[in-house]
Amino acid sequence: EAQVTQNPRYLITVTGKKLTVTCSQNMNHEYMSWYRQDPGLGLRQIYYSMNVEVTDKGDVPEGYKVSRKEKRNFPLILESPSPNQTSLYFCASSSLGGWKTQYFGPGTRLLVL
Amino acid sequence: QKEVEQNSGPLSVPEGAIASLNCTYSDRVSQSFFWYRQYSGKSPELIMSIYSNGDKEDGRFTAQLNKASQYVSLLIRDSQPSDSATYLCAVESGGSYIPTFGRGTSLIVHP
């Protein structure tokens, strides 16, 4: 089954404790991206990647890091989480040719205390 | 600052009616336009994309684009209660790979 998976689905942490949210896709997609969704603000892109070792900033990259060492994985790293990073996070992927048909993962709900 | 505006709603329509969802955007060089559906607690799902002026139909859904007016809309014919969801409009400028999403319109279809 074609899918994008994210782990964990729910996470409660404390300020400053480094965390990683994993994202994996099994569709051999070149393009992967991370979004955060906040009430009243909609979906905003954090980072995206066009292929292995190729990443670039989206609209709200501050406080986040990503890496793309393998085509299928695109982890999101919060080196020192802060309460304003409490949000719902989505990973998405697509092929570059039809890159606009993005497939979203199920979401990770993060609470930073 | 690129902006995509949607009425937050909720838009309430009776079952069987036509639901009309609207979206305006600020960036004149925008080239690609998308409608996503998001059920409560779920991830967004692409339902329509449109790239040129005019109408594009897919089943009960019709996307309409007017680049001169910077306006894109989604019509849902024969609305069903299962269409109740939040509809997100997204706009992308050519080659940017950074879509800008609107805040979404909540649609409620009541029996």
Side-chain angles (χ1 to χ4, degrees):
Chain A
E1 178 190 354
Q3 60 182 353
V4 179
T5 57
Q6 295 178 228
N7 283 292
R9 295 289 313 280
Y10 303 92
L11 180 60
I12 300 175
T13 189
V14 296
T15 299
K17 185 176 181 181
K18 180 179 178 180
L19 67 91
T20 299
V21 184
T22 64
C23 172
S24 183
Q25 50 93 5
N26 64 359
M27 295 169 278
N28 201 36
H29 284 164
E30 296 88 357
Y31 181 91
M32 297 185 74
S33 62
W34 276 102
Y35 296 87
R36 61 179 290 174
Q37 187 172 37
D38 303 290
L41 294 178
L43 268 171
R44 293 177 293 168
Q45 193 178 62
I46 303 170
Y47 269 95
Y48 67 95
S49 169
M50 304 269 288
N51 215 323
V52 175
E53 303 292 0
V54 181
T55 63
D56 211 343
K57 298 176 181 179
D59 287 330
V60 288
E62 295 77 18
Y64 304 95
K65 287 176 58 177
V66 293
S67 68
R68 188 92 182 272
K69 294 184 171 57
E70 302 168 286
K71 195 172 186 179
R72 64 183 292 125
N73 296 323
F74 190 45
L76 179 69
I77 302 157
L78 284 71
E79 294 269 3
S80 182
S82 62
N84 64 13
Q85 293 179 297
T86 292
S87 187
L88 176 59
Y89 291 87
F90 289 104
C91 179
S93 76
S94 72
S95 63
L96 273 181
W99 78 272
K100 297 164 179 68
T101 305
Q102 293 196 72
Y103 297 87
F104 282 80
T108 295
R109 194 168 290 279
L110 172 65
L111 173 61
V112 183
L113 300 174
Chain B
Q1 180 76 10
K2 301 173 187 175
E3 293 183 352
V4 177
E5 299 288 341
Q6 295 181 257
N7 189 321
S8 62
L11 173 65
S12 182
V13 300
E15 185 174 356
I18 296 175
S20 178
L21 304 163
N22 304 315
C23 173
T24 59
Y25 59 94
S26 64
D27 188 357
R28 287 191 172 273
V29 300
S30 298
Q31 295 187 359
S32 305
F33 308 86
F34 313 95
W35 284 100
Y36 286 82
R37 178 177 60 201
Q38 186 175 24
Y39 292 114
S40 180
K42 302 295 186 182
S43 54
E45 172 193 15
L46 181 69
I47 54 173
M48 290 287 288
S49 58
I50 187 167
Y51 307 104
S52 55
N53 280 328
D55 295 359
K56 179 181 178 182
E57 187 174 315
D58 184 0
R60 295 186 296 114
F61 299 98
T62 299
Q64 299 176 317
L65 175 61
N66 184 325
K67 289 187 178 180
S69 300
Q70 296 176 239
Y71 177 94
V72 58
S73 65
L74 179 70
L75 301 178
I76 306 175
R77 290 182 300 280
D78 188 25
S79 295
Q80 302 296 310
S82 59
D83 294 325
S84 298
T86 296
Y87 289 80
L88 306 174
C89 173
V91 173
E92 183 261 339
S93 301
S96 74
Y97 292 100
I98 305 177
T100 300
F101 282 81
R103 298 176 186 182
T105 297
S106 174
L107 172 66
I108 299 171
V109 181
H110 53 87

